[in-house]
Amino acid sequence: MTRTFPAAVDVAIVGSGPSGATYARILSEMAPQASVACFEVGPLLADPPGLHVKNIKDAGERAAAQRRSEGPQAERAAAAGTRMVRPGTFLLPDGYRQPGEDGLPGAAMSSNVGGMGAHWTGACPRPGGRERVGFLPNLDALLDEAERLLHVVDDAFDDAPYSQEVRRRLSTALDNGRDPGRRVQAMPLAVVREGDGRVTWSGADVVFGERSRTNSNFTLFPEALTERILVEDGYARGVLVKDLRNGAEHEIRAGKVVVAADALRTPQLLWASGVRPAALGRYLNDQPQTVFAVRLREVTTLPDESAQSAPGQTISKHSGVSWVPYTDEEPFHGQVMQLDTSPVPLADDGVPAPGSIVGLGWFCAKDLQECDRVEFDAYEQDAYGMPAMRIHYRLTERDHSSIEESRKAIRRAAEALGEPLDEEPRTFDPGASLHYQGTTRMGLHDDGASVCGPNSEVWAVKDLFVAGNGVIPTPIACNPTLLSVALAIAGARSIADQLNADRN
């Protein structure tokens, strides 16, 4: 089918993940008269757009949706080998490690409507201590609004078998000396209870919401590669987009441009467009990740038959998820998942009781360094025809110490719960967390150490905004989506206010 690209819009959004969807949603709510177009390089997987793939009931359709998210197949094949790759993602095929460095061998991306929000585990913990963006006085209000858009709840699986017992055992082992708000608790999750009793994962579809989908001034264009931001006299004036269905290029004028790709491809597009502030691509932050699995001791039967999944249940009622929050004294956070929620296989099938195998994942806050960065090649191109990426990344002595302390903490948690299924926890290669941050980081002042200001507008180019995990400036260990959506809300409100002021 042919489709018509607009000649001009008020706002062009690049990327349809949770942060891009946030801009569409807030603009649809606050400035519904504005024309907004969202361009996504990947395909539409399901209806509604941005649906989490785990909500696709048919297993074959779900697997097909994951495969369609895996980018250029040649690029995926080139990355094959011993590196871990998860369904729905594709690895950076080369350039992920430079000689003498640790690199990011686990660096991966997704290309699809909804971005990584179509594949994530929905964990939305709030940052604490040094994780918080201290120069934002309204951060808690923004986090409240992010929870609204993502539909975050903290009691989704209180009826899961053993979840209360898991938390009791973890609390006994880990809570001593912690402030009340940072003790073991249920993990806040982005999920939706449907009218028929099913529980489904929130994807970007939930963030878009009906306000975006019914907004006649909003249009989503899948399989549309944004090749350049059009910059004139220090202002963003539009985007150059290639229709991947037929190869045609379209120049689309825009009053505001929002780049909400991931933390690797957002700086890639800015660099390709000649927008190259000193901090672009720098302070690259991954979260060193360690996993372990245990069989709960002294549990053999379900404590309550009502906790079993109903026929057609999208999320198993065995999906208890507990949270061990980050603290400045222990700069890592843990998520403890009854087996079916883990994105990484942790145990064999054939467990004695549903929900009695528990996966533990501990994520460390990275020691931020300017030299940890993604660079771009002026001559070599990736499979999309964009500048090829080169990752520079090193773990510091502080990082190694933090990883070792997290391994000790995960052992303590495992011993409190039951019998470990392996002799030692497994620490993944850098990049495996998929929680990359910092490459378009926010700052309070244009001091050369940040790319954008508190409202996410790029210092160097007016009317150009960045969004996504790359904007996060702090060394967070918790899952970053809630915070990146909160920061996107501030940026979207700023644009809406400007559009409304211009209209009046």
Side-chain angles (χ1 to χ4, degrees), residues 52 54 86 119-123 156-157 160-161 163 167 187 189-191 199 201 289 309 313-322 335-346 354-361 363 479:
H52 197 300
K54 287 185 178 180
R86 298 170 189 169
H119 310 283
W120 70 320
T121 56
F157 303 117
S163 62
R167 281 175 214 143
M187 174 68 79
L189 293 171
V191 299
V199 182
W201 297 110
Q289 179 183 3
S309 299
Q313 174 69 43
T314 302
I315 303 177
S316 168
K317 286 291 186 70
H318 308 135
S319 303
V321 185
S322 299
Q335 52 191 58
V336 181
M337 303 165 286
Q338 290 177 245
L339 185 63
D340 74 297
T341 57
S342 175
V344 181
L346 295 171
S356 66
I357 298 296
V358 175
L360 299 89
F363 297 82
N479 311 67

Side-chain angles (χ1 to χ4, degrees), residues 322-406:
S322 299
W323 175 33
V324 182
Y326 163 102
T327 67
D328 289 340
E329 294 73 31
E330 294 185 291
F332 34 81
H333 105 113
Q335 52 191 58
V336 181
M337 303 165 286
Q338 290 177 245
L339 185 63
D340 74 297
T341 57
S342 175
V344 181
L346 295 171
D348 295 331
D349 293 332
V351 300
S356 66
I357 298 296
V358 175
L360 299 89
W362 256 239
F363 297 82
C364 296
K366 177 74 172 69
D367 188 12
L368 298 186
Q369 305 180 103
E370 183 183 11
C371 60
D372 291 332
R373 65 197 186 277
V374 53
E375 293 182 336
F376 304 99
D377 197 300
Y379 305 101
E380 188 175 344
Q381 296 179 335
D382 65 14
Y384 287 111
M386 298 296 287
M389 301 179 192
R390 299 289 179 262
I391 303 292
H392 291 269
Y393 195 80
R394 296 176 185 267
L395 295 173
T396 68
E397 290 186 11
R398 187 181 300 175
D399 291 328
H400 286 293
S401 175
S402 179
I403 291 169
E404 183 53 39
E405 289 303 310
S406 75

